[in-house]
Amino acid sequence: MRLMLNPNHISRILLYATVIVLNLVVLYCMWPYSVAVFGAFIMLVLFRKLHDRIARKTNRPRLSSVITCLISFFVITVPMGILIFVFSAAIPKFIQTARQAYGSLQHSNTMTFKVAGVQTTVDISKVVGQGIERVTSDLGTSMLTLAGNVGHFLINVALMYVLLYYLFIHYPRLYKQLETWAPVPPEKIHALTAETDRVVRSTVYASGIMAFVQGSILTAGYWLLGVPSAILLGILTMVFAFVPVVGSALVWLPTALVLFLSGKPQAAISVLVLGGVIVSNIDNVLRPLIQNRLGEIHPLMSIVGVIVGLPLFGVIGLVIGPVLVFLCLELTRLILNGNTKEA
């Protein structure tokens, strides 16, 4: 029995295969610039309302797009660039100071405990010293990588603003196309985009404000206590503060431990009080107030988002990661609930 294939079916299969292959090629070529693409959409969410107000006053879409891009550049991109520059400039001094601290841990600080009846002794100074050596080595490698990627970073920023300029102009039409092409009903698209906006705004504003507050307080505390590389530690605190629950403790706890082992118990206790009492209580009070206005994100989604986003997208992954996790969960829920368009 000969299998007969309809020529129309063959043509359609070839067309679909060609489209899939071409899209995969485009995605592969665009992946090095994925930060620019995601960054443009995040900027669109953050500044769309401002753009709409400017557009209503000027009645000139292109001019309003340029004005909004400039505002976003000076409000978001310039401060981030300054932060990255200060961070990079502080790394060499931090490496030098950390290695000096490693050299000062000559005396042994041991801890003995029993596990399953077996007595074990751990040299804390040796463990902390190895950790310092590992961190300084990784920071040195990161600094070289950062210096080599300056051109790529600038290209991503330029591409992001080119995309953002056209997104501000054409996003109403793109939204209508999304309603037409998406395999879910329009009301679900409206709900999904509204929730995506909420996640982006909550991640940027709530987490961003808390990261800035915690980083600023701890930076001032480090500086007043005479902790070396206070600015770098403060910037690291801002970055880690995006991780809920444990966040800034990933910086101030090791800092306090190194100070204690280096023979500075008073400074160590002060850092513990500053981080564990003052900063933690400020977070417990201020974060709910912000999230009540912007909407709350589950801490687990934020943690998974940071784990996913940081390795893929770098610092901006702190925002992109939770958004991707949210979209993955919501789209899965829509499929499982059968909320798709009928053929």
Side-chain angles (χ1 to χ4, degrees):
M1 181 177 179
R2 183 181 297 178
L3 180 63
M4 300 295 295
L5 294 176
N6 190 324
N8 291 332
H9 291 170
I10 296 176
S11 299
R12 187 176 294 272
I13 291 171
L14 289 175
L15 177 61
Y16 288 162
T18 303
V19 170
I20 292 172
V21 170
L22 290 176
N23 277 280
L24 289 175
V25 170
V26 170
L27 287 174
Y28 177 79
C29 295
M30 285 295 296
W31 183 251
Y33 308 101
S34 57
V35 171
V37 176
F38 284 109
F41 278 98
I42 289 172
M43 289 286 200
L44 175 66
V45 171
L46 296 177
F47 291 93
R48 187 181 66 242
K49 292 182 179 179
L50 175 63
H51 168 266
D52 291 344
R53 287 198 295 268
I54 296 173
R56 284 194 296 268
K57 291 182 178 180
T58 61
N59 200 25
R60 297 176 64 182
R62 295 183 183 276
L63 177 61
S64 59
S65 180
V66 170
I67 293 174
T68 312
C69 286
L70 287 173
I71 293 173
S72 68
F73 178 77
F74 287 107
V75 171
I76 301 291
T77 308
V78 170
M80 283 190 63
I82 294 173
L83 206 62
I84 292 172
F85 175 78
V86 172
F87 179 80
S88 304
I91 286 178
K93 184 178 180 181
F94 176 78
I95 292 175
Q96 181 183 0
T97 304
R99 285 176 177 167
Q100 289 174 354
Y102 175 59
S104 68
L105 298 177
Q106 298 298 332
H107 58 286
S108 178
N109 293 277
T110 60
M111 178 182 293
T112 302
F113 54 92
K114 287 186 177 181
V115 178
V118 180
Q119 184 169 312
T120 304
T121 302
V122 177
D123 190 338
I124 300 176
S125 296
K126 183 178 179 180
V127 173
V128 173
Q130 290 174 347
I132 292 174
E133 191 67 25
R134 174 67 181 274
V135 169
T136 54
S137 176
D138 290 345
L139 279 175
T141 304
S142 300
M143 184 178 176
L144 293 175
T145 303
L146 185 64
N149 289 337
V150 171
H152 182 70
F153 172 76
L154 294 176
I155 291 173
N156 266 296
V157 171
L159 180 59
M160 181 183 73
Y161 276 99
V162 171
L163 292 173
L164 184 61
Y165 169 79
Y166 287 105
L167 282 174
F168 279 136
I169 296 173
H170 299 296
Y171 80 82
R173 188 167 61 185
L174 292 175
Y175 187 82
K176 290 181 180 178
Q177 289 294 332
L178 178 64
E179 288 182 338
T180 303
W181 293 341
V184 295
E187 61 273 13
K188 297 298 180 181
I189 293 292
H190 297 163
L192 186 61
T193 52
E195 284 297 299
T196 303
D197 283 6
R198 182 186 64 81
V199 171
V200 171
R201 293 178 185 278
S202 181
T203 302
V204 173
Y205 293 142
S207 300
I209 291 172
M210 290 311 308
F212 177 78
V213 170
Q214 292 184 31
S216 299
I217 293 174
L218 285 169
T219 300
Y222 296 146
W223 181 74
L224 291 173
L225 293 170
V227 178
S229 302
I231 294 177
L232 181 63
L233 290 172
I235 295 174
L236 288 174
T237 301
M238 289 183 188
V239 173
F240 281 102
F242 276 86
V243 181
V245 184
V246 292
S248 60
L250 295 173
V251 179
W252 57 259
L253 268 179
T255 301
L257 180 59
V258 171
L259 288 171
F260 180 79
L261 295 177
S262 300
K264 300 177 181 178
Q266 292 180 344
I269 294 172
S270 299
V271 170
L272 287 175
V273 171
L274 183 63
V277 179
I278 298 176
V279 170
S280 297
N281 280 298
I282 289 175
D283 183 84
N284 292 334
V285 173
L286 189 56
R287 189 182 293 271
L289 294 176
I290 299 172
Q291 289 182 337
N292 285 339
R293 293 179 61 89
L294 299 174
E296 186 176 359
I297 300 178
H298 196 281
L300 185 60
M301 188 170 70
S302 297
I303 293 173
V304 174
V306 170
I307 294 172
V308 171
L310 271 178
L312 288 176
F313 306 105
V315 176
I316 198 174
L318 295 170
V319 179
I320 298 174
V323 175
L324 290 180
V325 172
F326 166 76
L327 288 175
C328 179
L329 293 175
E330 285 298 307
L331 291 175
T332 303
R333 184 178 62 82
L334 288 175
I335 293 172
L336 294 178
N337 291 340
N339 292 318
T340 57
K341 291 179 180 176
E342 296 182 0

